[in-house]
Amino acid sequence: MRNHNAGACMVDRRAFLGSAAAVAAAGLGMVRHARGAQATLGVGFIGCGGRMWSHIACVKQLIDEGAPLRSAAVCDVYRPRLDAAAEATGGTPYMDYRELLADPAVDIVAIASPDRHHCLQALDAVEAGKDVFSEKPLAHWQQFEQLKALAHRVQETRAVLQVGTQMVADSTCRQARDLIREGVIGKPLHAQVGYFRQGDWGERGMPIPDPDAQPGPDLDWDAFIGDAPQRPFDISRFFQWRMYLDYAGGPPTDLYPHVYTPLAIALDLSMPMRVSGLGGKLFYNHAREVPDTVNILADYPEGVTVALLGTQANARPVETCIRGSEATLVFGGPGIQIFPADGNATPSLEVAREAGGDTIDLWRDFLRCVETRERPWSNVWTQYGVQTVVNMGMLSMLGGRMLHFDPDGERILEDPPVEVT
């Protein structure tokens, strides 16, 4: 393996995971708790593109507020981004994320690399004894087995893993959960949520900073590819990866976890029973591979159906609501409104939002859980269910077939073809 950082240790994945397993065998939970009591926690930033700068800013703000944090290391497979992040944070630069994870100065890790890397980097970080703040989606739409492995490994090690679905920083999802548990809407039957916006963000939102960039010591194409299909270097794939199915999924994986996670929390959703996805490239028909419009229906064993809707070609929203046998809960007004089930447009109850929030509040919740070892708001088990739904929706849309989830074997199964006579 190439060493892209002079003076950095050479790390082989097999040896790295072996040593991490030894740490776990020695009592990883105790190690984590002891580390949380240190004066400061070193943060390692993996993937220093546009989104990571928000996390760097959050950590800086928390440090300014007196949080026990320090920027310890940064990592990116493209040296200009790496150098910029190192200069801004003062962190040790690495082009190989495994070298960052092997750095004893790193205690917690922020992951904002391309989607396909989130799950495997988070799993390696957990094995290395680090707590993780990962951007969504937690896994690429082809990575269900890796997602399952990560969920179980976090449970086994008692690692803290927060996913950056910042809408859960708004308290209304937890307030709605409490109201539903109290029986305010009766039995939940149907829910809807959507993500609508206008603009082809995959291409226009991801400019190519250097049209002459080539693979080499300053651009690690092999590391970028990861476990995706091997392809020759393509500058658009490298800088505009959100356009391509190998590395992204469009709205279902890039956007829908934001709006689906609060609903999953409010409804106490487990794993789905069956999922169907419809849509495709209905408007932006150029080099982009990912869909622009996807609608997903998910049935749950709790007896509720959830409709997850959206397009990138029109920004007109839909109402986020949960329909029960006795009333409808709507996220709106002062925070939450309850309407009669008969369709009356006058709310019978209004509940004020206790607290709003954004990414910085997710970080505060994450740090609290690093200290207490509690599950954060957007924890791995919630995201295991959310990510399974969007993954199944993508697979269903692309394959033209409804998918089922086997809860005993934790497997995604295809419907057999239906014979029409």
Side-chain angles (χ1 to χ4, degrees):
M1 187 189 73
R2 299 189 303 276
N3 182 2
H4 298 293
N5 186 59
C9 60
M10 297 288 286
V11 182
D12 176 80
R13 178 179 171 85
R14 184 175 300 173
F16 168 75
L17 294 179
S19 63
V23 172
L28 188 54
M30 295 177 62
V31 171
R32 291 179 184 279
H33 184 73
R35 189 192 64 228
Q38 289 179 355
T40 60
L41 297 174
V43 183
F45 301 95
I46 300 176
C48 299
R51 180 56 183 162
M52 183 58 85
W53 288 97
S54 175
H55 296 294
I56 291 172
C58 284
V59 169
K60 183 180 185 303
Q61 179 179 335
L62 291 169
I63 292 172
D64 291 342
E65 293 173 358
L69 297 175
R70 54 190 164 79
S71 297
V74 293
C75 175
D76 200 278
V77 300
Y78 182 54
R79 193 173 297 280
R81 286 196 299 249
L82 178 65
D83 290 344
E87 181 178 358
T89 65
T92 303
Y94 297 101
M95 288 193 73
D96 189 321
Y97 79 91
R98 293 165 296 184
E99 295 174 352
L100 180 147
L101 295 179
D103 187 338
V106 174
D107 300 301
I108 61 179
V109 174
I111 298 174
S113 48
D115 295 358
R116 186 143 199 148
H117 296 281
H118 294 174
C119 193
L120 294 175
Q121 289 175 347
L123 182 57
D124 282 353
V126 168
E127 295 289 7
K130 319 294 184 182
D131 292 319
V132 179
F133 190 119
S134 174
E135 265 302 322
K136 51 73 200 163
L138 189 52
H140 183 266
W141 57 270
Q142 292 178 319
Q143 292 176 323
F144 174 74
E145 289 301 321
Q146 294 93 325
L147 172 69
K148 177 171 68 175
L150 175 61
H152 285 279
R153 194 63 183 134
V154 168
Q155 175 78 353
E156 292 164 358
T157 62
R158 296 190 62 233
V160 173
L161 189 151
Q162 177 91 287
V163 178
T165 53
Q166 56 262 31
M167 288 184 181
V168 303
D170 190 307
S171 65
T172 53
C173 61
R174 289 170 291 280
Q175 291 175 262
R177 178 189 60 198
D178 294 341
L179 291 169
I180 293 170
R181 287 175 176 176
E182 292 167 10
V184 169
I185 67 170
K187 182 190 181 303
L189 302 170
H190 182 278
Q192 70 181 39
V193 66
Y195 201 120
F196 293 82
R197 72 182 186 189
Q198 188 177 37
D200 185 13
W201 294 69
E203 182 176 34
R204 295 181 183 176
M206 302 184 78
I208 297 175
D210 180 6
D212 298 321
Q214 291 291 327
D218 294 335
L219 191 162
D220 192 337
W221 175 247
D222 291 339
F224 168 80
I225 289 291
D227 71 338
Q230 291 296 316
R231 298 183 185 276
F233 175 73
D234 182 284
I235 198 162
S236 176
R237 284 178 173 269
F238 184 75
F239 287 114
Q240 299 175 317
W241 52 266
R242 279 197 172 92
M243 292 171 53
Y244 300 96
L245 287 170
D246 282 350
Y247 324 113
T253 55
D254 188 34
L255 302 176
Y256 292 1
H258 280 306
V259 295
Y260 204 73
T261 303
L263 208 64
I265 291 171
L267 283 166
D268 281 325
L269 294 178
S270 60
M271 302 299 282
M273 187 167 60
R274 57 191 172 205
V275 176
S276 179
L278 295 171
K281 289 203 308 177
L282 306 187
F283 186 71
Y284 296 113
N285 291 304
H286 51 76
R288 169 193 180 117
E289 295 178 356
V290 299
D292 54 57
T293 303
V294 178
N295 301 298
I296 298 172
L297 288 176
D299 281 343
Y300 284 85
E302 293 87 352
V304 61
T305 295
V306 180
L308 177 57
L309 313 170
T311 182
Q312 287 187 304
N314 188 298
R316 180 74 178 180
V318 297
E319 187 175 64
T320 300
C321 67
I322 300 170
R323 298 178 177 89
S325 58
E326 298 181 22
T328 299
L329 184 152
V330 175
F331 292 88
I336 294 172
Q337 295 176 309
I338 305 296
F339 292 88
D342 62 7
N344 190 309
T346 303
S348 57
L349 175 66
E350 292 191 326
V351 179
R353 171 182 286 102
E354 293 175 355
D358 206 334
T359 304
I360 187 70
D361 300 287
L362 275 190
W363 268 96
R364 292 189 177 105
D365 178 61
F366 173 59
L367 295 180
R368 177 185 63 81
C369 293
V370 168
E371 176 67 24
T372 65
R373 313 316 299 169
E374 297 173 359
R375 284 185 179 178
W377 291 331
S378 190
N379 61 73
V380 73
W381 284 108
T382 298
Q383 287 303 319
Y384 184 23
V386 168
Q387 193 66 48
T388 297
V389 168
V390 297
N391 282 20
M392 291 174 70
M394 276 292 293
L395 293 166
S396 171
M397 182 203 68
L398 293 171
R401 189 175 297 180
M402 180 180 290
L403 299 179
H404 294 255
F405 187 77
D406 168 22
D408 296 324
E410 293 183 78
R411 297 179 298 163
I412 296 173
L413 306 174
E414 288 190 355
D415 247 1
V418 177
E419 294 186 8
V420 179
T421 58

